Structures are given as C-alpha cells and as structure tokens.
Amino acid sequence: MKQFFLTVLGVFAGLFLFLVVVPFILITVAISSASTKEPTPSHTVLELDLREGITDQTPTNPFAAFGGSGLSTLQIVDTLAQAETDNRVKALLIRLPEGGITPAAADEIRQAVRRFRRSGKVVIAHSQGFQPVGTAVSSYMIGASASELWMQNTAAFQLAGFSADGVFLGRAFAKYGLTPQFEQRYEYKNAVNEYTESDYTPAHREAMTAWMTSIYTSALANAAQDRKLTPRALRTTIEAGPWSSAEARQRRLIDKIGQVEDAQNEAKRRAGRNAEIVEFADYAASKGERAGSGRNAIAIIGGEGAINTGTGGGSPFGGGASIMSDDMAEAIYDAIEDKSVKAIVFRVSSPGGSPEASEQILAAVRAAKAAGKPVVVSMGDYAASGGYWISSEANWIVAQPSTLTGSIGVFGGKFVVAEALGRFGVDMRNLTVGGDYASAFSPSQSFTPAQRAAFAAQIDRTYDEFIARVAAGRRLPPARVREIARGRVWTGAQAKTIGLVDQLGGMEEAIAKARELARIPADESVRFKRYPTPESPFEALSEAFGVSGEAAQVLIGIGGVMNDPAAEATVRRIQADRARASGASVLADQPW
C-alpha cells in the first residue's frame, strides 16, 4: 500500500512540475529575455551589486541564476571590458558587500575596474559598512579602486584585519563514539583535521597564518596604491579602528558620506544629462559574452567546483557547481578537434576532489598539448589539490595573488559509526564475502592492521603520482616538489615565488598569453569559443526532471512524508554510491 501511495504521489509531483513549475520557469525566462532587449540609454550608469554573492564562472545551465544573483566574476570582467568601449556607458556604481568577497574574485574585479577607469569613465563605490569578519579587506580593496568611495552615515568602518574560524569536531566525535580513521599526506593536508582534532595543529596553524598574511598584505598594498597612501600608513590606520563613517573620512579611508540614493544621484550627475541607472545583469545579458572575430580562435573552457568522475552533476536550479570528468574531458577534446582553435584557456576554480577524475581531465590537457594547441590555465578562487593536479601540466599557469592553490597532497579514510549508533540502540554488523580488504571501508568496524597498511600504500601511490605530475609539468626535480608539497596551501603570490605559478593576473592575462603561445599576432582579431556549450532551456529541463539527483531528492521527501525508511535509505544509498570514491581524495580544506 505504501508503494502504491508513493507511486501516486510521484505521478502527481511529476504532473505538478510539468504543468505548473515548468511553464512558470519558461514564462519567466521569456520575460527576462524580452526585458534585456530594451535599448541601453545614451547616458547610462551601470549598477553592479556585489552583495548577493557571485560565482567564479557563468553556469552553462540557463536556470542556475534562480539560485543566486546570477553574476560571475568572469561575466563581470567580460562585461566591463565591453562597457569600456561603449559610448553610452558613462559611469559605474558598485554596491559593496559588508562581509567581504572571496579574495581572488576581488583581485580580478579590481583589475577590471581599473581598466574601466583608464578608459576615462567614473566609478563610484558605496558601502553600508565594513564588518570585522572574514574577507572584508577584499571588499574594501574593490571600493578603494573606485574614483570615489562612499559610506552610509550610520555605517561603521570595523575592518581591522583578516580573520577565519575553524570548527573542530574531534572531542565531540570521541564523546559520542564516532571514530574517524584517516591517512593524510602530509602534515599540511588539513582537510580532515576538523574531524580528528580539537585545535589547529602546528602545521595547520603555520600554513593558514601564512596564506592569510599573504592575502591581507596584498589587499592592503593594492588599496593603499589606489588610495594614494603608503601600505604602512593604511595598515596602521585600519588596525587602530573601528571607526565611524565620519572618522573614516577624516582618516582618508573613504571619500564621502551619504545614502545610496545620494551616490546614485552623483553617478547620474557625472554621467550627464538625463542619465539612467541600468542594472549590471541586464546590461550583461543584452551584450552577451565577447565573441570576437577572425579566422583563428581561442577556446575558453571553464570548470568550477569539486572534481568528480562521471557526467552531469550540480543542481539544475543553482545548486553547488561541480566539475565532472567526462564533461570536462569532452570539452577539451572538442576544442582539440576544432581546427580553428589555436590555443586553449582553461579556467579552473576548484578545491579538488577525486584523483581518478583529475587524472582523466589532465590526460585531455596532455592531448591538447600533443595536438599542438597550447593550454594556459587561469586560476580562479581556488585551484588547489585536484584543482592543481588538472592544471599542473599546462604550458602556462596564471593565478591571482590571492588565489589559493597548491595543496599537493592526498587523504582518505572512513568513519567508524557502530559504537555511536549502538548508544541509540542501533546495531550495525558487517558480512563480507571475498578477501580481507573487501570490508576495509565498512563503517561498522575499524581497519585491521593489514587493511590499514594496504590503504596507506594506496595513499602513498596516489601522492607519488601527484608529485610526478607536478614535477613533469613544472619542470622541477621531484625532491623539490616534495619540499613544497606535503599538502600545503599557497596563495598565488606565494606559488609564483616557488615555481608553481608562472604569472600573476586573471583571465585577460591568460588570453594574452594564449595568443602569444599560439603565435597569433597582437594586431590580429581573434574569436572566442566557449566550452562546454551553454544548454538550451529545454535541455536543462530534460536534465533536471530526468533520472537525476533532483528526482532522488523528491523521492526522499516523499519517503519522509510517508514515514518509509526503506524508501529514504534506498535513495540515499544511490546518492552515496555516486559520491563514493576509491578511498583516496585530493581535496583541499575550504576556509571560506
């Protein structure tokens, strides 16, 4: 009977989705598309709101914008480049986030803002305060790059440094009988420390302090340059805070005090008579991505999120992004087969993931190089661990000073949960047919000595393979790679000094280098071809409502309503099987 009700509910859920939700989405998309066709006013002020958060790359799924602001770092950079030469765009107004923005994204947006200003156009930034949390220093850095930095009268300038908090579950797990059993290579591979420790280990503290200091110092240096102050003077003033808006202005941390309406009116005044404010996303949609022209093309291939084997992945309506190895490798091979493509710019923003998936993507990079098509990696917020694995053998690597990269290391293991469940009257027992290692990853029992030794050997092999790829790609002695590896995270600025990165910069610098390596003359026009190609709304809907993770989520919800543990357990097992790797992972900790 339960199964009958589940089936009936599933049918009604499907009918509701296709008869109500899908038409609503399609109508919304149609209205949105129509609105972007309105002509840009002759005196336009673009308003860029960074408070809702941004991704690194624009998703290929047309419905991903439903999960957030819909803007990406690369879209902002690309759109500002087009606005530089658009005579209708006279000014830019930036709404700054109070709590900060990822440092590498801030670096890239700042560079784009400076290029926009060099075209002779005005930039006004407005803040409703800088909070003493996380990466607010990166938000301030963007504001400092504007022609004028405004702050609301009641807001406070509380930025006094750069802080990050770690949550450690070691004592809680011990209290409740949950036992983490992990191997990590080596002491800086800190992704599992939150499960095994109660505090930062010396290596964890050392590495985090080093990259935080690098990001903080870089941001202050950039802000000081734009504010025409010395880095020392700016740092002294900031760290003596917090300050009220009036005090911040008195100390030259900001330029003006006013409501956002005041800043908007000033931007319109500077833009000229009858100026109008246009939302940045609307202008970006009307312009589209730069396509360029010419007989030669550069492929732009993007990947963001954790690296997994397979295809598909991620929520069709703006959930967490992921890099699926089949899709990414296919995109690279498509670029290889396109005779007009002379070079590839591979944008990577990933904390890592599966070593098998990373190797599959790296093999495609090797194939591109073998085909005579140079590959230039442009690193986004992250290109760490598996993100560095897939980048390591590129012809050239470009990273922002605040990109987090490196983390050349590996970890893996399991949680033993039998004791924890037993305390709640749930008994877990294991049955195994086959060799001793067949039960190695059973959560009901600890590793046997033989299983632990075999697993440790596998971790060592993966680590050695990682070292070998970095040594070959970066032309470094393996012994030197081992010195700078050990799982340690570096910023882009640090990575350049030790040979893991070739150049500091963003997508614009990566494209310029790709032209150079492909021997395309600087005065010759070039086309841009983007891979994977964007999905149509119907392709996205087909994927969304097919046999996918979203369908599984619906079934979980139905199973919960019907109080059917079997239904929930079955679907969760399907999801777990998809996510489970071979036990080893090249994944960096993610401090944001």
Side-chain angles (χ1 to χ4, degrees), residues 423-561:
R423 297 182 183 186
F424 296 94
V426 178
D427 296 313
M428 176 178 283
R429 301 289 185 264
N430 174 256
L431 289 175
T432 299
V433 176
D436 176 65
Y437 198 71
S439 63
F441 288 94
S442 168
S444 65
Q445 59 195 28
S446 298
F447 287 119
T448 66
Q451 289 171 343
R452 188 77 183 237
F455 178 59
Q458 177 195 343
I459 293 291
D460 288 332
R461 282 193 298 272
T462 303
Y463 183 67
D464 291 342
E465 289 167 353
F466 202 165
I467 294 293
R469 279 140 187 79
V470 176
R474 301 306 301 164
R475 295 181 176 85
L476 293 171
R480 173 56 178 158
V481 178
R482 290 183 184 276
E483 288 177 9
I484 59 181
R486 309 188 71 82
R488 180 160 180 170
V489 172
W490 306 93
T491 64
Q494 294 170 325
K496 186 175 184 299
T497 65
I498 59 177
L500 295 180
V501 163
D502 296 298
Q503 180 183 357
L504 297 181
M507 183 60 101
E508 298 298 307
E509 289 74 18
I511 291 173
K513 187 64 181 182
R515 288 181 64 117
E516 176 188 330
L517 293 177
R519 298 180 180 177
I520 301 174
D523 59 351
E524 180 182 319
S525 297
V526 67
R527 288 180 292 138
F528 300 112
K529 289 192 170 183
R530 290 170 171 81
Y531 301 86
T533 55
E535 293 179 311
S536 70
F538 290 101
E539 290 172 331
L541 286 172
S542 176
E543 178 182 326
F545 299 114
V547 182
S548 66
E550 294 306 301
Q553 290 288 355
V554 172
L555 185 54
I556 286 177
I558 294 173
V561 172

Side-chain angles (χ1 to χ4, degrees), residues 185-186 188-190 407-410 463 484-489:
R185 301 293 183 273
Y186 277 98
Y188 294 103
K189 196 66 178 177
N190 301 313
S407 192
I408 302 166
V410 59
Y463 183 67
I484 59 181
R486 309 188 71 82
R488 180 160 180 170
V489 172

